[in-house]
Amino acid sequence: MFQQAHSYRYIQNYDEMIASIKEVQSFDLLSVDVEFDRDRHAYGFTLCLIQVFAGEVAWLYDPFQIQDLSPLYRMLENPKQLKVMHAPGEDLQLLRMKGCRPMHIFDTERAARLLNYESFSLSSLLSSVLGVEISKSMQKSNWTNSPLSEAQLKYAAADVAWLPALYAKLNAQASEKGILPWIEEENKAWEGELPELRPDGIFYNKDEEKKLPPFQLFVYNALLAVRDGYAKKLNKPGYQVIDKHLLADAAFDPGILENWGNQPGIHPRLKNHQVAAELKEAHKQAAAEASKSGLLKFKPESRLGFDAREAAKQQKILLKEETARLWNPFRERLAAAYGEFAAAYMFSEKTYTALTNGELQVADLPFAYRRKLINEYLQNQSNN
C-alpha cells in the first residue's frame, strides 16, 4: 500500500518541470518508470506518464501537458545518476522513440531472476523482499486521459517509491552471492541496441507467422495494413476497428469481403462499401504479388508423406536425447550452484538445443559471464 511518508507531485507544465529537475538532479539514485498505452485504449504506442522518484518525492510528468520534455530526457541520460527500473524493455523502447536514451540502469527484474526468485513481477518482489503490498488495480486503466485521476497518480507513485529499497536489498544479495558483476553486465546491455518492436510494414505477430502459410500470410498482412490505416484515422487500437480473425479468414476466402456489412467484429463507421472495396483491392493486389513470388498456399511440412513425417519426428527425439546427454550435467551443476530458476533464465532449453545442433555457437551467446560458465564446463569435461 502507498505510504504517506512518500509524497508525489504532478507536473503539468514546462516551468514546473524545470524547477523539479533542479531538485532531482542532485540525487545519485533515481527510480524511474513509464506509463504508456500500447493499442489498448488508443492507436499506437503512446507515452502517458514518466515517473521519477528521488529522495522522498515521486515526480510525475504529464507528456500531454508538457510539450517539450527534452530537459527531462537529458537528465535521464546522465550516466552519473543510477536509474533503478523494473523490466524496462518497453519503457526504454518508447523513450528512445522520443529521443531519450537513459544511461546507467539497474533492472530489478534481471537481478531477481539471477538471484533465483521464482516470481519476479514487481508486486511479487515487493511482497517477498520488502513485505510491501501494492495494488495493481490501475495498471490497465486508461492512461491516455489527461489530467490523470488521483487513484492513477497514487498508483504511479507507488510503482517507483519502493524501487530504491528493493534495489538496495537485491544489490546486497547479489554482492553476497558473488554475482554482482553478472547483473552489472546485463544492466549495461540496456544501453546498447534493443530489438525492434516490429519491423516497418509488418502487422502480424510471431504466432500468426508460424500458423499461416506464406501466401495467406502475405495477403493477411496487406489486409492488416488497411486496418492499421483506419485505426490511426479513428485513434483506436486495431482490435476495436476490425477483428483480425475476420481478416485472417478473408486471407483464405476473399468471399467474406462480399458480405462485409453483415460481418461481426467491425467498427460501425467501417461497415460500408468503401472499406470493403479497399480491402478487396488490397487482397487482389497482395494475392497477385504472392503468386508472382511463388509463395506457397500450404506449409511445406504439411505435404510430407508419412515416412518423411516419421523421420522428422525421430530426428527431433534424437536431438532431444543428445541435448540432454550433452547439457544435463551442466544444467544440474548450474542449478546446484545458483538455483533452478536462475539456471533456466541464463540458459533456456531452446539455447541448449541450438548449441547441440550447431545453430548457435558458444561464442555467440549473450553476455561474457554466460560464455565463461559454459567454456569452463567444457574445459573440465575435456580434462576428465
Side-chain angles (χ1 to χ4, degrees), residues 93-310:
Q93 290 277 19
L94 182 53
L95 288 172
R96 289 189 184 188
M97 289 167 59
K98 299 296 182 181
C100 175
R101 294 181 68 97
M103 306 290 285
H104 197 186
I105 295 163
F106 185 99
D107 177 3
T108 51
E109 186 204 43
R110 287 192 175 186
R113 289 171 74 104
L114 285 171
L115 284 165
N116 199 46
Y117 282 90
E118 180 178 5
S119 298
F120 40 80
S121 68
L122 181 58
S123 57
S124 293
L125 288 173
L126 290 180
S127 177
S128 60
V129 178
L130 299 179
V132 171
E133 303 296 332
I134 62 171
S135 170
K136 304 301 287 184
S137 60
M138 291 288 106
Q139 186 175 33
K140 296 182 179 180
S141 63
N142 190 348
W143 293 92
T144 66
N145 289 333
S146 178
L148 297 171
S149 68
E150 183 179 357
Q152 286 176 309
L153 294 173
K154 285 187 175 182
Y155 167 88
D159 253 11
V160 286
W162 294 106
L163 282 175
L166 180 62
Y167 156 75
K169 288 280 189 179
L170 296 180
N171 195 58
Q173 290 173 11
S175 180
E176 182 179 348
K177 202 169 182 178
I179 63 168
L180 197 54
W182 298 1
I183 293 175
E184 291 171 348
E185 185 181 357
E186 293 213 9
N187 284 327
K188 187 68 178 176
W190 284 124
E191 298 176 13
E193 294 305 314
L194 300 177
E196 286 186 78
L197 293 173
R198 186 176 63 190
D200 288 340
I202 300 298
F203 299 97
Y204 52 77
N205 59 40
K206 291 182 179 180
D207 286 339
E208 292 163 336
E209 183 177 12
K210 292 177 182 177
K211 292 177 182 177
L212 294 178
F215 184 99
Q216 284 80 8
L217 182 67
F218 189 84
V219 174
Y220 177 54
N221 189 64
L223 298 179
L224 287 176
V226 175
R227 182 182 84 155
D228 186 74
Y230 281 107
K232 187 174 184 180
K233 187 181 297 185
L234 297 173
N235 191 29
K236 291 185 177 295
Y239 75 91
Q240 291 183 7
V241 175
I242 302 173
D243 188 335
K244 67 179 182 178
H245 298 98
L246 177 63
L247 298 182
D249 290 341
F252 287 89
D253 178 14
I256 289 173
L257 303 176
E258 297 295 337
N259 193 29
W260 183 249
N262 294 321
Q263 298 291 351
I266 304 171
H267 191 279
R269 290 175 60 182
L270 303 184
K271 287 192 172 189
N272 57 65
H273 294 300
Q274 178 184 338
V275 176
E278 189 173 345
L279 286 167
K280 289 177 188 177
E281 183 61 24
H283 192 294
K284 179 181 177 181
Q285 291 185 11
E289 189 174 342
S291 294
K292 186 177 179 180
S293 301
L295 297 181
L296 298 176
K297 292 186 178 182
F298 53 85
K299 284 287 189 181
E301 57 270 23
S302 68
R303 289 295 182 92
L304 292 175
F306 176 79
D307 290 341
R309 290 198 302 271
E310 285 300 305

Side-chain angles (χ1 to χ4, degrees), residues 11-14 17 60-69:
I11 309 301
Q12 296 177 273
N13 64 61
Y14 185 86
M17 177 185 69
L60 311 178
Y61 300 92
D62 189 333
F64 295 110
Q65 304 290 334
I66 308 168
Q67 299 303 312
D68 180 13
L69 289 168

